[in-house]
């Protein structure tokens, strides 16, 4: 009997006897479009502006340079997206990165470059597993859990190395971070592959769907047959592997493992996730969005450097951007009256 | 009573747009001072949206609103409250970690020098409950209470605001008959003291019983406003759907021919809420579980489905003993479950209809291959399911939170139909669903039974239970106390629910 509804019309003035719901034009730009796509527009504008403002910016060399410098961050931030979409938080990426870096370097010195690289990545995954277990088994809030483990991980890294750099000169080890295939750095290729895999996993697989469901409403997900803690655990492990990979790539490119490395990443990774528009409450977000968040940060850093702006202003600009992006999202929520 | 002649609230040309929908399309109406104003309409007609506009939860895009003749624009619920307007939301909005009393007094705690006076609060709470009914224990944590009790907390909270106008959006959707009576007494009492009530419900008899005036809405517009005495359920349905739709009537029950027992539960125990419950459901049989709220009906359902752990007892599906440790185990054994609270247990609000509908079935490979979701086939399958459930609008990519309450409920039901189960456990399957779609869901349930699905039906709507069930089990205090064959009289069942003379009102803990 719903079919008896009369055809839609745009005029409602005369439609009194038979109420008609008029369709809105979907073409109008609404606040939520700004929230969902504004970040892309901002990134594009910054890109164009930098191209105009600095002749050095828009060159193959510089663009590859940006990609090269940000490949480790992009890998970590994209993996952290899975953790955040599942409704958790990971503040320990920088520490996992450092543990992986020194593990790789120590092992490379002893057993050779390949063993070092693999060991570093596995250690990263193991630290992620620890995070996941603390969150799912001990039921510690992820924010506090990863804050605590990041202290412990970094302390461990410093204790093992006594705070010294672990140098590895073997070209088999440094190749990962320094070699190029044609003009493209190997690490950039690895990052692109990892990002594509993560994007695919989150958006297309059953596992990815479970991640959204767990972040959206763990109770409903559980009743629908999803094993919530297994999913959460898996996201932390993935985050750990990614941080491990990033740490190894960086150790390789500087030919040493540094227990103090990656300090800045702890917050930048999560910030890039939020800047991209992934909800820190879970259930909403995507990997490609995080890539845009990373790209915007990267452009600001690079552009400000090229233009010779004081680095302090970079951080101010980044901080303001995050606030702006998150506040915009909140405003749209309110306007839509939820 | 002020004895003011004019209306307490007047809407003039209110418009509210959501992306893709016009939820309110020029609504104009008046709410008379001190009246009970019924508001009816099909799912998605705009009733809740109108309530949200009046309650300050959302802002209209166009139109004007007057409270006692003065134009108002609310910036939030607090603002509306200051104008004496409180709202009992359809999707309950309580603080789960706080207890009953703290929720009821949230924001209006009795204070001296910034300190909450707990004893004073307790006394005020007792006075409130004494005056209006709904004797809930003040110290229970709200998040652990059943839906019906949460609904009562919401109502108490609104009443405690001493509002001049209370909007009740489907306040009885999970209350049983006796509680509805208590609520109606409460409304009359409020009414006697001059409080105006806007009463939204899909139970048309209830609306006609309590309301002075009734407004019928359709597609975001007002169809008509008339005196309750001039309307009948049939005339309201006519207005709601624009044609003579059927009012409540149940198809003839199919005979249960097969004797094979599909679901068998023996001596189920869980703490004190489920005590030695045994039941067997045959293929094609619909077994109703009746009882007051708190009698353990939902707990039995949750125990069978592996949501709550059991302390003792066995569950067999098709004769095979099962150990359901998680809902996932039950789902894989063919036991599907519609939980009573769609917001808490049923849906992921920010996910799409498509993603919600297939969530329990991704493992089975109907819409996935090698762990990859086949989105295109998923979308078309979900779309046809949504149409068969008359979900409005049937667009798989919408987020669930953008649907009206009744349409959300249809999605919860749809989740269980996406792949035919062996056993279907329904806890309030039609909560908040309009008359027409309800009849549709009833037909679907009966159709499933005819195909041999074993069904356990729980509903606070006793007519629904009696109308559909081949057998009715009555629960009281966690035990099955009586069993009736098909079509018992409602009086008998109600008596059994109450337990002859002694009426065990729950919540005395
Ligand atoms: N947040 C939202 N975003 C988009 N659309 C919405 C939103 N809230 C409501 N709508 C739409 O507005 C219309 C009216 O919804 P409303 O909740 O007012 O219906 P209702 O009359 O209360 O229905 P029900 O009886 O099912 O509760 C529906 O078509 C619904 O899909
Ligand atoms: Mg509603």
């Amino acid at each position: 009997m719903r079919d008896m509804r009369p055809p839609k019309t745009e005029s409602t003035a005369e439609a009194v006897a038979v109420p008609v719901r008029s369709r809105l034009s979907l073409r109008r730009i609404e606040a939520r479009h700004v929230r969902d796509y504004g970040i892309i527009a901002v990134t594009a504008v910054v890109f164009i502006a930098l191209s105009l403002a600095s002749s050095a910016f828009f060159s193959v060399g510089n663009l590859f340079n940006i990609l090269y410098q940000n490949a480790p961050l992009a890998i970590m931030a994209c993996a952290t997206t899975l953790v955040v979409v599942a409704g958790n938080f990971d503040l320990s990426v920088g520490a996992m990165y450092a543990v992986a870096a020194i593990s790789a370097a120590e092992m490379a010195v002893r057993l050779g470059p390949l063993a070092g690289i693999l060991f570093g990545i596995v250690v990263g995954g193991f630290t992620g597993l620890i995070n996941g277990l603390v969150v799912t088994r001990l039921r510690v809030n992820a924010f506090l859990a990863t804050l605590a483990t990041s202290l412990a991980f970094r302390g461990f890294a410093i204790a093992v190395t006594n705070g010294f750099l672990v140098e590895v000169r073997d070209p088999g080890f440094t190749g990962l971070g320094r070699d190029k295939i044609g003009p493209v750095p190997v690490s950039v290729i690895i990052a692109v592959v990892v990002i594509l895999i993560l994007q695919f996993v989150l958006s297309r697989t059953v596992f990815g769907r479970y991640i959204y469901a767990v972040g959206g409403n763990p109770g409903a997900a559980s009743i629908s047959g999803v094993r919530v803690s297994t999913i959460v655990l898996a996201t932390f492990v993935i985050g750990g592997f990614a941080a491990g990979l990033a740490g190894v790539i960086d150790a390789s490119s500087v030919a040493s493992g540094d227990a103090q490395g990656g300090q800045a990443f702890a917050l930048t990774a999560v910030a890039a996730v939020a800047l991209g528009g992934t909800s820190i409450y879970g259930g909403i977000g995507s990997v490609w969005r995080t890539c845009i968040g990373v790209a915007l940060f990267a452009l600001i850093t690079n552009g400000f450097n090229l233009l010779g702006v004081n680095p302090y202003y970079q951080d101010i600009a980044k901080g303001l951007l995050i606030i702006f992006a998150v506040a915009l999202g909140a405003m749209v929520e309110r306007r839509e009256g939820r | 009573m002020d004895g003011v002649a004019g209306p307490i609230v007047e809407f003039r040309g209110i418009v509210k747009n959501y992306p893709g929908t016009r939820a309110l399309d020029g609504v104009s109406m008046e709410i008379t001072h001190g009246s009970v104003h019924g508001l009816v309409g099909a799912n998605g007609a705009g009733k809740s949206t109108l309530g949200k506009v009046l309650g300050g939860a959302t802002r209209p895009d166009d139109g004007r609103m007057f409270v006692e003749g003065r134009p108002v624009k609310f910036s939030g619920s607090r603002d509306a409250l200051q104008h004496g307007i409180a709202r009992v939301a359809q999707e309950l909005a309580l603080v789960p970690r706080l207890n009953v009393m703290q929720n009821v007094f949230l924001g209006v705690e009795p204070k001296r020098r910034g300190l909450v006076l707990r004893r004073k609060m307790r006394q005020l709470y007792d006075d409130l409950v004494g005056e209006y009914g709904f004797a809930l224990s003040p110290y229970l944590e709200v998040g652990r209470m059943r839906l019906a009790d949460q609904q009562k907390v919401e109502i108490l909270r609104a009443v405690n605001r001493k509002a001049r106008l209370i909007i009740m959006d489907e306040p009885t959707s999970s209350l049983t008959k006796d509680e509805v009576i208590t609520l109606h007494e409460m409304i009359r009492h409020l009414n006697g003291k001059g409080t105006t009530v806007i009463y939204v419900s899909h139970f048309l008899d209830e609306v006609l019983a309590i309301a002075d005036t009734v407004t019928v809405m359709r597609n975001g517009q007002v169809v008509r406003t008339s005196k309750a005495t001039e309307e009948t359920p049939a005339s309201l349905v006519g207005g709601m759907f624009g044609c003579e739709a059927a009012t409540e009537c149940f198809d003839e029950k199919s005979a249960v021919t097969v004797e094979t027992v599909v679901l068998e539960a023996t001596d189920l125990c869980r703490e004190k809420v489920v005590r030695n419950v045994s039941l067997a459901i045959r293929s094609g049989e619909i077994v109703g579980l009746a009882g007051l709220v708190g009698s353990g009906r939902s707990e039995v359902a949750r125990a069978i489905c592996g949501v709550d752990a059991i302390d003792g007892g066995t569950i067999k599906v098709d004769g095979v003993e099962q150990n359901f440790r998680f809902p996932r185990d039950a789902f894989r054994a063919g036991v599907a479950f519609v939980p009573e609270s769609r917001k808490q247990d049923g849906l992921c609000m920010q996910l799409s209809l498509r993603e919600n509908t297939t969530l329990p079935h991704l493992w089975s490979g109907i819409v996935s291959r090698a762990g990859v979701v086949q989105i295109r086939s998923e979308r078309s399958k979900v779309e046809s399911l949504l149409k068969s459930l008359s979900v409005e609008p049937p667009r798989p990519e919408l987020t669930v939170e953008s649907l009206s309450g009744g349409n959300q409920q249809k999605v919860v039901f749809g989740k269980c139909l996406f792949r035919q189960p062996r056993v279907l456990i329904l806890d309030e399957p039609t909560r908040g669903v309009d008359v027409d779609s309800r009849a549709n869901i009833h037909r679907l349930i009966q159709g499933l039974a005819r195909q041999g699905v074993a069904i356990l039906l729980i509903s606070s709507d006793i007519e629904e239970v009696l109308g559909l069930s081949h057998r009715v089990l009555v629960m009281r205090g966690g035990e099955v106390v009586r069993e009736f064959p098909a079509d018992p009289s409602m009086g008998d069942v109600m008596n059994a629910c109450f337990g002859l003379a002694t009426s065990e009102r729950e919540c005395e803990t």
Side-chain angles (χ1 to χ4, degrees), chain B residues 149-174:
Chain B
D149 288 342
Q150 293 187 2
Q151 213 159 30
K152 293 189 241 172
V153 177
E154 274 261 354
I155 294 166
L156 281 177
R157 181 163 76 165
V159 171
N160 186 47
R161 295 292 190 261
K162 310 281 184 276
R164 283 177 299 164
L165 184 144
I166 302 179
I167 307 154
M168 298 190 179
D169 198 348
E170 305 196 23
T172 60
S173 60
S174 57

Side-chain angles (χ1 to χ4, degrees), chain B residues 379-398:
Chain B
R379 184 177 298 137
S380 67
K381 283 179 180 152
V382 168
E383 186 161 10
S384 60
L385 179 67
L386 295 179
K387 282 186 179 140
S388 77
L389 285 164
S390 67
V391 173
E392 188 60 35
R395 300 217 305 267
E397 300 307 319
L398 290 178

Side-chain angles (χ1 to χ4, degrees), chain A residues 133 136 142 177 319:
Chain A
L133 289 174
T136 57

Side-chain angles (χ1 to χ4, degrees), chain B residues 42-49 52 90-91 169-170 200 202 342 403-406 432:
Chain B
N43 292 133
K47 307 178 297 292
S48 297
T49 308
K52 282 183 199 165
Q90 182 175 16
E91 299 306 327
D169 198 348
E170 305 196 23
V200 181
H202 289 293
R342 54 182 172 251
L403 290 188
S404 77

Side-chain angles (χ1 to χ4, degrees), chain B residues 436-452:
Chain B
D436 180 41
S437 308
R438 230 151 93 94
N440 182 25
I441 288 184
H442 290 161
R443 276 194 297 277
L444 286 169
I445 293 175
Q446 290 180 316
L448 285 170
R450 240 170 260 126
Q451 289 165 39

Side-chain angles (χ1 to χ4, degrees), chain A residues 19-20 204 206 209 217 224, chain B residues 25 44 221 347 371 373 378 415:
Chain A
V20 173
R204 298 297 306 275
V206 171
R209 187 70 60 78
N217 183 350
S224 302
Chain B
D25 191 4
Q221 299 186 336
L347 298 167
V373 184
E378 185 188 29
K415 279 174 79 171

